[in-house]
Amino acid sequence: MLEPVQANPFPDSHTLGEGAEPHPLLRPLLPLLGRWHGRGRGEYPTLEQDFQYEQEVTFSHDGRPFLRYEARAWLIDGTGAAVRPAGREAGWWRVTPDASLEVVLTHPTGIVEILVGRVSGGEIELESKDVARTPLAKEVTGTRRRYSLRDGELAFVQEMAAVGLPMQHHLAARLRRF
């Protein structure tokens, strides 16, 4: 028999002032805390056509010196109606004492990325240091990401090097906190 267990006493918080006090190293990333939602466009030379998507992104913490990150996207048609699920990723953003970032992202398509970068004011730049793939995963050799936080809006741009092609634009989105 299993003994009764308590509810998690250390839940993640995505709102300042609720839950655990954020670790001091997270200070440069605290404006990201929360749930974000918005629209974007994607393209890549190997795709038949460009696409539009909506996306939800959540940044949360449990008091330790990292953020939990999750992003979910779905394709939309020209009227904004949902078509089908699209990209999904989850991971951890860690701030080092010199304000550099170390990020680990996993994708359900069999890709794991280690990105490094910096945060400066409302600007975050990340670039792949390593990419690992399962045997059947698409060949992705690197990505670059830029996040900009201004006037309550989170802008996101991603470049990608994949399937033998050099680094080039792939995604851009604008998100608002909800």
Side-chain angles (χ1 to χ4, degrees), residues 21-178:
E21 185 70 26
H23 192 282
L25 285 175
L26 291 179
R27 190 167 294 120
L29 295 179
L30 290 180
L32 293 174
L33 281 181
R35 293 184 175 138
W36 300 83
H37 182 248
R39 286 191 175 176
R41 293 191 60 81
E43 62 185 330
Y44 207 70
T46 58
L47 299 175
E48 289 183 25
Q49 62 186 18
D50 298 354
F51 59 92
Q52 295 181 49
Y53 65 97
E54 288 190 8
Q55 184 174 36
E56 290 179 357
V57 174
T58 303
F59 290 94
S60 61
H61 75 95
D62 67 2
R64 291 180 286 174
F66 53 81
L67 292 181
R68 181 180 66 89
Y69 164 86
E70 182 176 8
R72 297 178 73 161
W74 53 96
L75 297 180
I76 58 174
D77 65 18
T79 69
V83 175
R84 66 173 174 81
R88 191 164 185 180
E89 57 190 23
W92 308 98
W93 291 39
R94 189 167 67 165
V95 183
T96 65
D98 71 351
S100 62
L101 295 175
E102 297 178 341
V103 175
V104 177
L105 293 181
T106 60
H107 305 261
T109 55
I111 298 169
V112 176
E113 292 182 80
I114 296 173
L115 301 106
V116 294
R118 298 205 57 80
V119 57
S120 178
E123 303 290 322
I124 298 167
E125 293 194 17
L126 297 168
E127 187 165 0
S128 294
K129 181 180 182 322
D130 290 303
V131 178
R133 297 173 294 138
T134 60
L136 297 178
K138 174 174 73 176
E139 179 199 19
V140 173
T141 55
T143 65
R144 280 195 292 252
R145 296 165 179 247
R146 286 183 296 283
Y147 297 83
S148 299
L149 186 57
R150 286 196 179 86
D151 301 322
E153 184 175 272
L154 180 61
F156 165 74
V157 175
Q158 180 178 337
E159 298 174 356
M160 179 173 70
V163 294
L165 297 174
M167 189 75 69
Q168 57 195 287
H169 177 75
H170 179 44
L171 302 171
R174 294 191 173 285
L175 309 161
R176 289 212 166 267
R177 194 183 312 272
F178 83 107

Side-chain angles (χ1 to χ4, degrees), residues 5-13 19 61-62 64 68:
V5 296
Q6 64 180 328
N8 182 352
F10 307 105
D12 283 355
S13 174
H61 75 95
D62 67 2
R64 291 180 286 174
R68 181 180 66 89

